[in-house]
């Protein structure tokens, strides 16, 4: 059974819809193509979100990340597109996407973009000693 | 003498009930079953809490963690259930549970959930230089 | 000349009484006995304080830490007792004690307790870029 | 489709039977039961082998490791049994098994056992500068 | 085709002009000359910025960094000059430049300088648990 | 100008043909497809070789590594194929290839394969104190 | 030409007097004598400051640090004296001095002291995602 | 049930008497008294042995290590005594004991002692690439 | 007084000519130009040598390393040239030069070259437990 | 009671004269003066030795290390002198001294020198799997 890359981000219902909790994911296996040179780029993608009614399904997320494999896109653009796609799929209360790209030309680049629901209040953080 | 897994979270009286202090625990030996594939999942569970009248007893906590060994549950659900169970047992002023799960499909997942008593004031943190 | 463990925390005058400054100490050589099993427990003790009129003398602190060697006490209790003893000896503006205990039953435990003078204002922290 | 633990170590033909090469595997998700207390033990298992006609199949190895989940066995015994089982399955030229067990009673234990074919010559190692 | 060092910082349009997002770059290959001794100095330069209409082009940034190779300048001056040059090129909402210089005379030096648009509001940071 | 993946390993003459010296390369950006599931695999490839008349050209090596991007192959096979291809291109005195693959099913795999010229003597290693 | 230790902290004009920026220095080569035992003490000294009209000159700072080599002083006193001396030399907007002393009697000690101009406003920190 | 320190090193039969295999143990919780000053010393003890007919029992080893808690002994002596005691208890084919002592007077000390049966041949080590 | 880059490797007499001892040096501040693109390359150079009658003078070595700043040369060539130059200057009993180059095109490269006097015997290494 | 630096290396009888065992010491608090510039140099000194009839006494070693504080000496010379002095004091079977000096001019230097008794046989090292 051969799997296929897919832009379809499947979801499942948030198991604790009444509680603001955090889900973090680290995906070290992201690769796409450089739109200038056509050569492969590599990155680690980090997600941090507070779900509303829906969560991202793990296996679908993997196929979604795979779908960038043959696409050409710039670092700044990719990070914002991943943000937009996941927001469209699950309408989270908050989502932060970080693209941590491998060195090119002696320069390491990270791009970080965020979405939050207009009326959502970030939790007052309890910072224990 | 053979020990048994148990959902019973034994407690003991907080030795300093008049002072808000912090207890942190890290439990790298959590395992349960994946409800989709039936295969073992592994995680490190982190607790951070401010006790009220009761503290969690260490040995009982170990048997409680053991009780998940043959249960099937999703990452998001497990973390919230551990939170609910410990809240039910000790009614802490504050409790944060973090489930740090081993990689699956090239993706690392953390889930963090918190409880605080409605009338509890988080301490004003002294952040020394 | 044989030294002796001692509960007597000697002090010396704060060399800059008009300035709120921070003293941090890390003591990796703490050991006591478990009151349940009688077996040795090991911990690293961390102190962070803002002195008022007095500072803790280093050599006396070492003998004080040594004095727990043959005592039985629980993690939560020890950390609070060390806090109480040092507060009694030097009446600091602020003191935080962290007990970082070695693993037992696959569980790592930290206990953190604090004292501050009722009228003391924590310094407004300068967080430089 | 629910997977099952299994003692059956599937194999596949060595893709380069005429060349002595090395395969290393690290399996951080091993768990069994302590035969004395009945409580879970955790370990990382390391394999290093030189295949002869057969290699160990990855997915079957995972189910094999899983098969220890409800068995009681001592550290020294487990490591030697894994060695014996893999030797029986693939008759390698050389196999080393390391069991790196989690701390118990303040003591960390590793057990290392090896098999080599009676007539097999270990390669003369090229140690480049 | 031989590249040339250049003070010309090429730019490209911000792909998400309506969203405040962060771009971080780490450039470990900075070298210039010490104006006192004439000898080479080495540093890692870190950038963190929120773009407005423009972003810094990666390849041009590399040639810009190269342009310092034969210039003499003090640590404090270089860091502020890089800040000024990038601000002139892209008028960012916010820019922080850190110069992390190699040890000289047994002393390690870092210099950090920032620019922000007078009317720009730093985002209210969402600090998830 | 769009680059293309290529199996053609360009070479250049060894600049010191009369001296046995070592060249090591680490390539963290290897990706291919799993022949069973069709999904991407990721690895770091390590080379260590003693050149004879020829060296591997860096840019061609990058395009060669890229050429595996859409191929399906098992870990043990890939590592041996890379060895064979580089041996065919440069006939080195000695070559070691290590494939360090990302975790799959909770198991980390490394495969190491070597070639040496039949009449080549490994240098007597000077191991200084 | 033999250099000499010196209490004279030479300065140079701040190259960007209109901008609040940060200078950090780490000096791992501090040594003095213990006033009780006469034996050498060792420390790493950390400085972080916001200059006003003047900066500390690097070479003079090195000679100043050297000047403690034959002096006897307690940890708490030294850290405050270095703070006072540098404040007297450059009247910075803000200065933090950290003395990170080597272990004595199994105890590691850090002392941190700060000065800020009475009318100086710490910058509102931009904490980017 | 209160445990007691004990010099009695219990043993159990080697589960694979016909195979030379290695058992390593790391015991970070060793403490004794300095015979000169009477003050506590701390160390990590490392064991590596090849069993003959007997293995050291883990729980008894823990009580044995505990038995040094109130004894005074020098670093060089302790390490050799632990070696002698374990040799007497299990007559191993080979045993190495390392005492890794905490810093005293700014000096870190390790002592390593070994025993091997007169007629025992160390295994010819297979050092795979 | 402005220093100058120089190919002149000054030397000083070996202070212990009758004893084979080792000198290791690590020079993280090497830079030259790529002969293909003209752009800067960066590397760490490691030396390990056994002196005969002469040692390399530290300050001259620094100026020698600096002399590559405006030269174009390939990785394999540079490492061998540094070896040749130092051999010509001090005729050591043994010298190893390692060039550890920064990543280019996603590939990290190390080149290691050695010289030894024809009649020199490497010391029989004492490998203590 | 004020201690004094001293060239007198006190000794004590080897507690196990019939067994070749290893003593390692790491002394991070070495400082002397540079004979060229008069400025302080810093180093970590490592010792590894096999005692014959005598061992080096820890406290005397500390005073001996202290005795270099006001002496000027080159790196290569110091390391050999420490070797000679300790050999004179305890006539060990084997002694290795490593001087690991702090960076000067961007170059890190280590010097390693050894002594062994003419008729001493290094132990045949047991290198367990
Ligand atoms: Ca990362
Ligand atoms: Ca972790
Ligand atoms: Ca803070
Ligand atoms: Ca710690
Ligand atoms: Ca491990
Ligand atoms: Ca080696
Ligand atoms: Ca850095
Ligand atoms: Ca925080
Ligand atoms: Ca790696
Ligand atoms: Ca430090
Ligand atoms: Ca911050
Ligand atoms: Ca270990
Ligand atoms: Ca250690
Ligand atoms: Ca390096
Ligand atoms: Ca060895
Ligand atoms: Ca070191």
């Amino acid at each position: 059974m051969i799997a296929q890359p897919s832009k379809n981000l499947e979801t499942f219902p948030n198991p604790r819809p009444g509680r603001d909790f955090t889900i973090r994911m680290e995906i070290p296996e992201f690769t796409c193509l450089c739109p200038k040179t056509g050569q492969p780029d590599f990155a680690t993608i980090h997600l941090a979100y507070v779900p509303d009614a829906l969560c991202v399904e793990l296996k679908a997320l993997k196929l979604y990340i795979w779908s960038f494999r043959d696409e050409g896109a710039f670092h700044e653009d990719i990070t914002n597109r991943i943000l937009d796609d996941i927001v469209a799929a699950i309408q989270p209360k908050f989502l932060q996407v970080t693209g941590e790209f491998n060195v090119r030309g002696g320069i390491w680049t990270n791009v970080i973009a965020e979405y939050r629901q207009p009326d959502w209040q970030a939790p007052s953080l309890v910072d224990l000693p």
Side-chain angles (χ1 to χ4, degrees), chain A:
Chain A
M1 185 190 66
I2 300 296
Q4 299 291 338
S6 161
K7 288 291 181 203
N8 189 30
L9 277 164
E10 284 180 45
T11 64
F12 64 94
N14 178 351
R16 280 294 184 286
R19 175 185 287 160
D20 271 16
F21 67 97
T22 303
I23 302 171
R24 295 183 193 277
M25 292 168 146
E26 182 180 343
I27 312 166
E29 300 185 341
F30 179 90
T31 182
C32 63
L33 299 175
C34 173
K36 268 194 178 163
T37 64
Q39 295 185 17
D41 271 336
F42 290 81
T44 295
I45 303 295
H46 304 259
L47 310 179
Y49 73 98
V50 178
D52 194 342
L54 300 171
C55 294
V56 183
E57 204 270 330
L58 187 78
K59 194 182 158 117
L61 180 62
K62 184 181 163 188
L63 301 182
Y64 170 76
I65 287 295
W66 182 8
S67 73
F68 288 88
R69 192 174 175 87
D70 296 320
E71 294 188 11
F74 291 99
H75 297 1
E76 290 82 358
D77 192 38
I78 282 171
T79 309
N80 279 288
R81 275 171 53 197
I82 295 175
L83 180 68
D84 291 339
D85 287 351
I86 301 180
V87 165
I90 60 165
Q91 289 96 26
K93 292 181 175 172
F94 174 80
L95 171 63
Q96 184 191 69
V97 178
T98 301
E100 185 191 3
F101 292 86
N102 277 19
V103 64
R104 288 294 175 261
I107 300 179
W108 305 79
T109 304
N110 278 230
V111 183
I112 307 104
E114 292 181 355
Y115 164 85
R116 68 189 87 175
Q117 290 183 359
D119 56 342
W120 180 67
Q121 286 285 24
S124 63
L125 199 66
V126 172
D127 208 353
L128 294 182

